[in-house]
Every structure is written in C-alpha cells, then in structure tokens.
Amino acid sequence: MKILVCFKTVPDLEMLSEEDWAVDSNLAVDVSFVKNILNCFDESALEMTLKLSEYSESFNESLTLTALTIGDKKAEMFLKTLYALKFQKAVRIENNEDVRFFPEVIAAVIAQYVEKINNQDVVVLGRQSGEGDNAKTPLLVAEMLGWPCITQVINIEPSQEERLRVTSMVEGGTLIQVIDTPCVLSVGNAPVSYLRVPTLKDKMSYGKRAIEVLNINVFNIASLLNKCYHEYQLIGLEKISNHRAGILIEGATTAEKAKKLYDHYLKERLEKQ
Amino acid sequence: MKFTVILNGCSDNFILQAEEINGFLSSNALNLSRGHTIIFYCEENSKIELMANAPTASVELIKVKRYQPENILEILKQRTINQQMDLYLFASDFTGSELSVRFAYRIAGSSLVAVNKLEIEKDGLIAYKAVYSNHMQGVFKLSKKPYCISIAKGCTDLEAVLEKNHEAITEDMMDVVKDDFIKEYDFVEEERVSGLAHAKFMLVAGNGVKQKEKVKRLEEIAKSLGAVLGVSRPVATNAWAPLNQLVGVSGVMAKPELCIAVAVSGAAAFFAGIEKSQYIIAINTDKGAPIVRCADVVIIDDYESILEELLKIK
C-alpha cells in the first residue's frame, strides 16, 4: 500500500511578541525570524503513519511511505529526519508564492502529484495549519481526487485484505471504521502528538539521501492562483486583542496570596455558583 | 440574500447547532423570510423537535440511515441542483466545516470555514475569521456564489428559535448510498460527557502541569471547588486527560462565568477557548506568559500550592 503524508512547516507564532504583529502592505506579518516547526496536526499524521507502517509488518504487508511538503528550503531539515525514520521518499515542491489563504492551490498541487507523478492509495494530512487556518486542504484534496475522506482521525491501523481500520472523533464518541482504499485521512486531535527521534545510526544510514525537489510551476500554479483571486481574497488583517486588567496579587507567602485571591476576587463569585 | 441552513439532526448537539445558527442569523441581520432549512435526521420520533427548532419557517426534513458525509454530500447536491441560492450556512462543529468545503467544491461555489461575522455587499460577501492561530482576524471578500460558510464555534450567543409556523416537507433518502468504501462501522459512545460547553465555573490546566498524575489531582481539586476541568491541547494529546476535555480552537469554546487557568501559557489557539469567560484568574510561575495580560487577576506562583491553600480556606 502506498501512503502519502503531506506536511507543512509553520512559524512558531507563539514566539512573536506583541510588537512583532505588524501588518505590512501585502497584508502579511513578518515571521521570517521565527523558527519553523512542524504543524501540530501534521506531526501527528507523520507519527501515526510510522506506527501504521510498523503494525503492517505483522500483517505481512509493507507500506511505501512518501512525505511531501510545499515550501522553501527550510523544510529540508524535516525531510531528512523523515528519511532517517525510514520514509522511502521525501519530496519538496519548491514554492515562493504567497499561498497562505489559498488552500485550493495547495490541494490542486497535491492532487496533481498523486494523479500524475506518484500514484497513492492513501493521502494523510493534518486538518489545518497556521498561518491561514483555512482547515480546507484535506477536504479539497479528497474532492479533487474524487476519493472519500475521513476527518478527525486519531488512529490508523492495518486490517485484513489490504484495508485500514481508522478511528476518528465524532460528536459524542469515536467511530471505528474498516475501509477500502483509496481514501484521504484528515488528522485531528490525536493522542499521538510527537514525531519520534531517529537514531544516530539511522540518521547516518538513511538521512543523507537526496530530497526530490520539484518546481511548483510544473503544476500550473499561475493559473490556479488567478482562479482563486477571482473567487475570494484577503482584504484586511488585524491583531486580535484579548487584554484584560491583569491585576497582580502580591504577598509574602503563598498562603497570603491565596487568602487575598479568595477574599477579594473569588469568595463572592464562588458563592454565586 | 437567499440562504439555506444545513443542520445535522442525527446528532445529540442538534439544539446547540440550531440555536447557534439562529444567533448568527440574527446578529448578521439575515432576513429569515428569505431562508430555508435542511435538516438530516435518522429517528422518526425526533421529527417534531427538529422541525420546531428550525430557524426558518421553510423546512426540509431528509431521512438518512446514518450521518455519513459521503451520502449527505450526494443528497445535498441532488436536492439543491436547481436552486439559485446565494448562501449555504453550516454549523460550527466539524461536520459543518467539512460539508461547507466539500459541498462548495461540488457546486462550484466558494467556501470559508469558522466565520465569525458576515457583511453583505452588492458584489460579494465580506466574511471575518480568525487566522494566524487566532492571533489575527482576517477579512475576506468572497465573489463567487453560492457562498458556503461554516460559522465559528462560540461566535455568537445561543438564541432559541422563535418561529412557530413551520412549513415542512419530508423526504426519505435512505437509498442514497455513496459509502461503499466502509466495510465495518462501529460507534463507541463517550464514557462520560465533559460538561465543559455549559460549565459556569471552569478550572483549566496547561502544559505546565507536566504529568498525568498532576492532572488527576487537578480533577479532584476542580470537583472540590465545584468546577469542571478543561485542558489545553498538549495535555489532551499527551493522553493526560480525555480528548473531550480539550479547550481551544480545536476543542470546546467555553463561556463560563469564572475561569481559573493554571500552568497555562496562553497560546492564542487555546485562549480562544476561554476568552468568552466573564472573569479569568491566572496562576502561573512565568510573569512573561501571554496569559498574564489576558487575565483579570493574576498570581505569579506555583499553582499547586495556591490551589491547595484555596482548598484549606474554602
């Protein structure tokens, strides 16, 4: 079974200070000085797929794992790690266009990659990522490929007859479904949140393979962007302010602080409950 | 603007969906007489309650075997194929956002997920939504009809439906099957309901708690104080607490009267889940943490010691 995991590296937005949130004339915030991290949902998707690959061996089935990202060179460090974690293929589609708010473009590139370059049985993606927070890419990939989609996935296991057992969160509980492929899986809040660290030996043995780099122009991005501009555009961007009074309770001891908190701010409110 | 509301009547949270959409329609001045509601349902005996909670007088009840997105999308397309609709509105839950995007693609419209506010213009629709992990608000102009919008969780007050003169048609579309790819299907109900969405007093714990055992103790403290415990995403995804206790953009957006946030840094995507609290008390050892600026009252100290002291006083 061939599985493609699409991931995005994102700036760690929590590192920005209040003053850093200045919007420029292109309606963008400069995040170039912030370190890049794996988008949290994508990180779960990558680890979940590695676990699936391990389980699959007990079903005598071998998976071919490909990791794909669209972006600049900064992502290559993560692709090398994925090679060291035994992904068979690591691909970067070079892009310098501003596609923050155009998941239609990203989805179209992924769908073309699957249809024309590297056929797959399953595509796994995180449900959403900053900066755009569009929450649309996995859904659009499914629609463009004409494949079914399962959202809020929290676990993927192998099953008999080359099927997958997929667990997903739904209102009021969890759904466990055994499915035929092809399928798009959109990963939600999974209790698999961190990507494992490769061993030094594996880094040396597998982490130095060449990353396949494709140019995004191969995917006709100019026409895709043009189509999007005619459908919707970002026309404003402003900082959300959540500031409150922030009254600081001081005291010489913990007990004194707790007493002040209770007497002045909590007692009356607790009595109302 | 001619619009259709899509609701999932197979879900236990149907009333919440309906009241939230009703609040959204009212706060965005959408003319209810130009609206229509489609409700998918599974249980015959739920029809009366579902219809009574439809935000618009014109209602279509569609019976399905179970709520399965592939089937629902096919039915929606069949039922709306000849309609000249301007706007389709979907609920704030994950099913609402999924349908809005996929349905828009199928009918060649445009979509936006988790929208807080709409403004109708002659040549388009202005939509506001949180971006940059909830640090910024983006303003979008959509120009391609039909617009398919799912609303943001907690973007509006819940408003009970006042419409009494519903005119409903019922359709049985259980024979529409597009989910052949599913070979086994098993729904496991949550063992316990978190109660966070309606909690009046909430204690929320962040990644700074560091251990599962500490979360367990916080659960006991919350109980003693009369609060409901919520947690940030790292606490839930580390399996220190059940996923249904997750507070934030991808979990519950709570509106308690009182919220005590402990060991919480205040990441924007988390804070969005407690920002509607009437009063926020933060207990944190880091005075530079963003939560300090976003709380009404702050104690810079070890949260465990403060909470244990509070239990003694109480």
Side-chain angles (χ1 to χ4, degrees), chain A residues 133 143 178 231 235 238, chain B residues 106 129 133 137 139 143 183:
Chain A
D133 285 321
E143 288 301 309
V178 174
E231 293 180 4
I235 57 168
E238 59 182 38
Chain B
R106 292 186 187 197
K129 68 162 279 175
S133 300
Q137 173 153 262
V139 187
S143 316
K183 300 302 169 192

Side-chain angles (χ1 to χ4, degrees), chain B residues 127-146:
Chain B
Y128 295 74
K129 68 162 279 175
V131 294
Y132 280 90
S133 300
N134 261 67
H135 286 277
M136 308 288 279
Q137 173 153 262
V139 187
F140 294 83
K141 181 165 185 178
L142 283 73
S143 316
K144 194 179 182 199
K145 289 183 188 175

Side-chain angles (χ1 to χ4, degrees), chain B residues 20 30 40 74 78 82 90 102 115 129 147 159 166 171 184 213 230-231 248 265 282 285-286 291:
Chain B
E20 200 167 44
L30 282 150
F40 291 95
E74 177 61 25
Q78 286 182 22
N82 294 318
F90 295 83
R102 300 182 69 186
V115 169
K129 68 162 279 175
Y147 314 119
E159 229 172 83
H166 290 105
E171 284 288 330
E184 288 176 33
E213 290 67 35
V231 297
S265 68
T285 49
D286 177 9
I291 190 74

